[in-house]
Amino acid sequence: MRILIAGGDGFCGWPTALHFSARGHEVAIVDSLIRRQWDEELGTQSLTPIYSLEERVSAWKEHSGREIRTYIGDLTDYSLVERVFRDFQPEAVVHYAEQRSAPYSMIDREHAVFTQVNNVVGTLNVLYAIKEITPDCHLIKLGTMGEYGTPNIDIEEGYIRIQHKGREDVLPYPKQPFSFYHLSKVHDSHNIMFACKAWGIRATDLNQGVVYGLWTDETRVEERLFNRVDYDGVFGTALNRFCIQAAVGHDLTVYGKGGQTRAFLDIRDTVQCVELAALHPADAGEFRVFNQFTEQFSVLELAQRVKRVAEEMGIRANIAHLPNPRVEKEEHYYNAVHTKLIDLGLKPHLLSDDIIRELILTAQRYKDRVNFDVIKPTASWR
Ligand code: NAD
Ligand code: USQ
């Protein structure tokens, strides 16, 4: 299959590109490399050293003998998107290329506007390119579990059957997102659903939970193939942050009570789920929604687990309850359905103490790269 990975220089995109390439698919990456600029803006960097995209793909070629084509450019520029689609003629597009940090989107008006324009316009351009150039191409779009929020009923996979005044219909599940970033994903979902209906496009919206880990079989081979992993208060995410904090002797930063429950998955399952979606495409005109995660945990539960594993490794770890910079429920019901990817064959890597240990060991190895000043949360929702 010819697979285009949009955002292929990022945390999920790079391992995905290698995973498909290793399995014999023809892979191309399109990325503006803007994520590397956001690191500079925030005074941070990936915990692990990451090489330039050019060095990464040439190391992959040396190692595997396989070529990954690269296009450097911004999806909000339609002339670039058009050129990539005409040249590569993708049969599937895995679209990761968005601003993905909730705190970044909440810094100020400028960052909120940037996030929504970047994400919504980029996705609209991809939809138009599919319609005009490769109408059979399957769009595999990364959405987020945070589109649903934390309702007091079970979260279904995309749709819910509703009875109202004696009539019944299956409708998109109500959305109560957590931030202007999460809202950009809701807007994307609506645009994609409409494009499927209007133009007969085939699309899968993967509502992914928080991803942890960083290693996949391909990225651990040698340093030039390493994946990025974020620990800072803007791009770092809950479990990875706690492991890195424990390793460098920083308090584990639980926001508020820590009863916030979220859906989680291992990065190896991200690539596995995306592969399953690609190998089993949506029908023409179908807007399919999968909840892409394997387990749910409260934030405090994760911090306590990291603390226990760290202490077994001889590292003293302290849990701090910081004032919550976000507006979110800290104690709530949470039960999200996630059967569709399992039905397609997903074999989950559930969270184990070994994963936590490996993350802590990785962070110990690269602790000199950690800037303590960027660990605390800075963006406030209020
Ligand atoms: P990332 O920031 O590491 O990677 C995103 C990549 O997209 C970067 O390389 C960036 O340069 C590129 N990009 C951004 N805007 C672009 C544009 N307009 N044109 C071209 N390239 C652009 O993010 P990630 O963690 O790999 O996340 C990938 C996707 O998965 C995102 O859409 C995110 O919302 C979603 N997601 C991530 C997680 C997670 O925990 N990391 C969880 C759920 C969903
Ligand atoms: N949290 C803490 N301490 C921290 C970091 C986070 O208590 O140091 C809490 C947050 O308050 C929140 C929860 O942990 O309640 C998750 O926060 P996060 O930063 O790990 O994840 P989030 O902001 O939701 O965003 C991440 C990715 C985003 C993706 C989303 C999936 O950055 O791209 O869409 O996870 S989901 O959460 O399912 O929406």
Side-chain angles (χ1 to χ4, degrees), residues 100 144-146 181-182 238 241 253 255 262 299 326 328:
R100 70 119 176 110
T144 175
M145 285 301 292
Y181 151 71
H182 290 94
R241 248 163 87 70
T253 55
Y255 300 162
R262 296 288 183 271
V299 172
R326 307 186 184 199
E328 61 185 0

Side-chain angles (χ1 to χ4, degrees), residues 36 45-52 56 214-215 219 222-229 362 365-366 369:
R36 294 171 184 255
Q45 61 180 348
S46 162
L47 169 79
T48 43
I50 49 168
Y51 283 68
S52 70
R56 284 175 148 187
L214 80 153
W215 300 114
T219 55
E222 59 140 306
E223 193 169 279
R224 289 177 299 165
L225 298 176
F226 277 9
N227 199 8
R228 69 170 302 125
V229 63
T362 303
R365 181 169 167 204
Y366 294 109
R369 293 173 56 84

Side-chain angles (χ1 to χ4, degrees), residues 23 56 78 85 100 115 182 195 229 244 297 338 345:
R23 281 150 190 79
R56 284 175 148 187
Y78 191 64
F85 274 73
R100 70 119 176 110
T115 299
H182 290 94
V229 63
I244 297 165
F297 301 102
H338 57 116

